[in-house]
Amino acid sequence: EKGGWSSFMAKEISEEPEAVANTILGRVHDGLVSLKELEPIGDEALAGIDRIVIVACGTAAYAGMLGKYAIEEWSRIPVDVELSHEFRYRNPIITDRTLVISISQSGETMDTLMAVQHATKAGARVLSICNTQGATIPRESQAVVYTHAGPEVAVASTKAFLAQVTALYLVGLHLGKVRGTQTDEQIRENVIELQAVPEKIAEVLSVSQAEIGQLARWMTDTQSVLFLGRNVGYPVALEGALKLKELAYIHAEGFAAGELKHGPIALIEPGQVVIVVVPSPRDPHSLHPKVVSNIQEIRARGARVIAIAEKGDAAVLPFADEVIPIPLAGSLFEPFLAVVPMHIFGMELAAAKGLDVDQPRNLAKSVTVE
Ligand code: BG6
């Protein structure tokens, strides 16, 4: 039931901290990750994996993109992310050293199920990340890591996305251990970061909800919104754009910020709203100044800039119309925090337009046809 919430989505966004915490629960021992769910594949086989392909649709595919950054970083295994329906209709290069990871909240998405069957037939090891106990996709997979986000009723996924990213990160840390690409000390540091995420999400929720609600109310007539992000901020930008399409029926596009000058900048005209995910000033790849200069470029062309930036980031203040602050976190962990305002924003804008937040037109919670 909705309880006192205005919509299931409002309730589910409020549950984002627990979705992450409950997905970690019971999977950390002595500060290290151990996923006994991976036993059907076995650590020996996992140590020999030479390629990972993540298959998913919609929001789950953006969770998969985030998984790519973390898994590659920690396990040094190359990871590709493919939309299930694209993967299925090719002759993908798969061997018994390929690990296919499917991600599905419902575990019933036909496109992803077909991808899982296709991968199994081709001889891959198949691991599924799923939020629904006993659903079809987990039943057809060699191994399953369940996300513990709790039932998700609103059609557009919110808390399940965060739980999916959590599960992927746990898989990445497990692989890092099995392959010896991460020392125990490094794994422990990352586990501590991951365990700190729920409390930081709670902070984002309490700090940004009112501000985003206000923003949404002046944006009800907005026709188009662009989202920019770089590195792990890029999938966050894509997720933000998807939420706006799904929930508020506003044309929205997410871009990698580095791509701006290769095309999208032509779209910038006075009044264009651009939401930018700003990397931390401490970003290890030094992307912060590059994104700040993107903001300057679009601002100079009259864009209205809403920045999601680390709290205390003084460099963005002079150039952004609005700043939504997020707590400090390691680079790979920022998306857990930056995506939360995206979810609130989609929901608030839909609500401000008087739309049905939980049941957007033309969409279904699980699409069981191809
Ligand atoms: C779409 C939903 O139909 O399916 C999205 O509207 C969801 O919210 C996508 O991300 C994938 O669903 P699932 O259950 O496979 O994660």
Side-chain angles (χ1 to χ4, degrees):
E1 253 313 299
K2 264 196 285 195
W5 298 96
S6 55
S7 62
F8 279 106
M9 180 162 288
K11 176 174 182 277
E12 287 159 10
I13 291 176
S14 81
E15 292 166 348
E16 289 186 334
E18 294 94 272
V20 173
N22 291 339
T23 300
I24 302 171
L25 207 69
R27 288 167 171 161
V28 171
H29 301 280
D30 189 23
L32 300 172
V33 174
S34 78
L35 290 172
K36 57 178 178 334
E37 298 97 320
L38 297 182
E39 274 166 20
I41 298 177
D43 284 350
E44 206 179 311
L46 288 173
I49 293 298
D50 62 7
R51 181 167 168 252
I52 294 175
V53 183
I54 296 178
V55 293
C57 302
T59 292
Y62 298 144
M65 286 176 74
L66 288 172
K68 172 185 165 89
Y69 291 93
I71 294 172
E72 286 192 343
E73 177 69 22
W74 295 332
S75 74
R76 308 309 298 154
I77 305 170
V79 181
D80 290 318
V81 185
E82 290 224 38
L83 296 167
S84 311
H85 35 90
E86 286 296 320
F87 171 82
R88 161 82 180 82
Y89 289 100
R90 280 192 295 109
N91 184 9
I93 298 155
I94 285 172
T95 70
D96 61 356
R97 298 182 70 185
T98 309
L99 175 68
V100 170
I101 304 180
S102 95
I103 311 170
S104 174
Q105 188 286 129
S106 63
E108 300 296 344
T109 298
M110 183 59 80
D111 287 319
T112 304
L113 174 62
M114 300 292 271
V116 162
Q117 291 174 343
H118 194 56
T120 305
K121 211 177 287 171
R125 322 254 170 190
V126 180
L127 161 69
S128 288
I129 292 176
C130 181
N131 198 45
T132 313
Q133 290 282 336
T136 311
I137 293 172
R139 276 192 278 118
E140 299 227 0
S141 306
Q142 209 178 340
V144 190
V145 172
Y146 280 105
T147 47
H148 296 143
E152 193 179 61
V153 176
V155 166
S157 188
T158 54
K159 63 176 181 174
F161 172 88
L162 285 137
Q164 286 160 351
V165 180
T166 306
L168 287 161
Y169 279 34
L170 291 170
V171 169
L173 291 170
H174 184 106
L175 290 172
K177 168 81 180 166
V178 167
R179 300 171 67 86
T181 44
Q182 286 264 294
T183 64
D184 283 3
E185 196 187 331
Q186 287 172 314
I187 295 173
R188 286 202 173 90
E189 274 170 26
N190 285 310
V191 166
I192 288 169
E193 276 268 13
L194 190 60
Q195 287 173 325
V197 163
E199 202 171 314
K200 293 179 186 179
I201 296 177
E203 184 181 329
V204 178
L205 289 171
S206 71
V207 168
S208 60
Q209 215 133 18
E211 183 183 351
I212 296 172
Q214 223 164 5
L215 264 173
R217 283 187 287 280
W218 69 251
M219 282 181 61
T220 50
D221 292 328
T222 303
Q223 301 289 315
S224 151
V225 178
L226 305 181
F227 291 79
L228 294 180
R230 222 178 148 144
N231 191 256
V232 286
Y234 173 40
V236 174
L238 295 173
E239 168 69 356
L242 178 63
K243 283 291 166 286
L244 224 51
K245 291 178 229 188
E246 290 182 300
L247 298 170
Y249 315 152
I250 291 177
H251 176 254
E253 271 196 81
F255 295 107
E259 196 64 8
L260 187 67
K261 59 186 174 302
H262 301 294
I265 198 160
L267 290 169
I268 307 294
E269 52 185 19
Q272 172 69 52
V273 177
V274 187
I275 301 187
V276 186
V277 184
V278 184
S280 160
R282 299 166 294 111
D283 177 65
H285 311 288
S286 306
L287 289 171
H288 178 265
K290 296 197 160 73
V291 174
V292 172
S293 102
N294 289 145
I295 294 179
Q296 285 173 274
E297 284 157 10
I298 55 177
R299 200 44 185 329
R301 289 164 178 81
R304 177 147 197 166
V305 176
I306 302 169
I308 297 172
E310 188 174 279
K311 66 181 167 193
D313 180 354
V316 288
L317 291 176
F319 311 113
D321 297 273
E322 301 282 343
V323 179
I324 297 165
I326 57 171
L328 273 68
S331 162
L332 283 169
F333 298 88
E334 283 170 24
F336 285 102
L337 312 177
V339 82
V340 175
M342 301 296 190
H343 290 166
I344 301 172
F345 191 61
M347 175 183 71
E348 291 287 349
L349 199 42
K353 291 180 75 170
L355 302 172
D356 185 340
V357 174
D358 291 332
Q359 297 247 292
R361 67 185 181 201
N362 308 340
L363 295 175
K365 182 71 184 156
S366 63
V367 181
T368 52
V369 292
E370 251 199 287

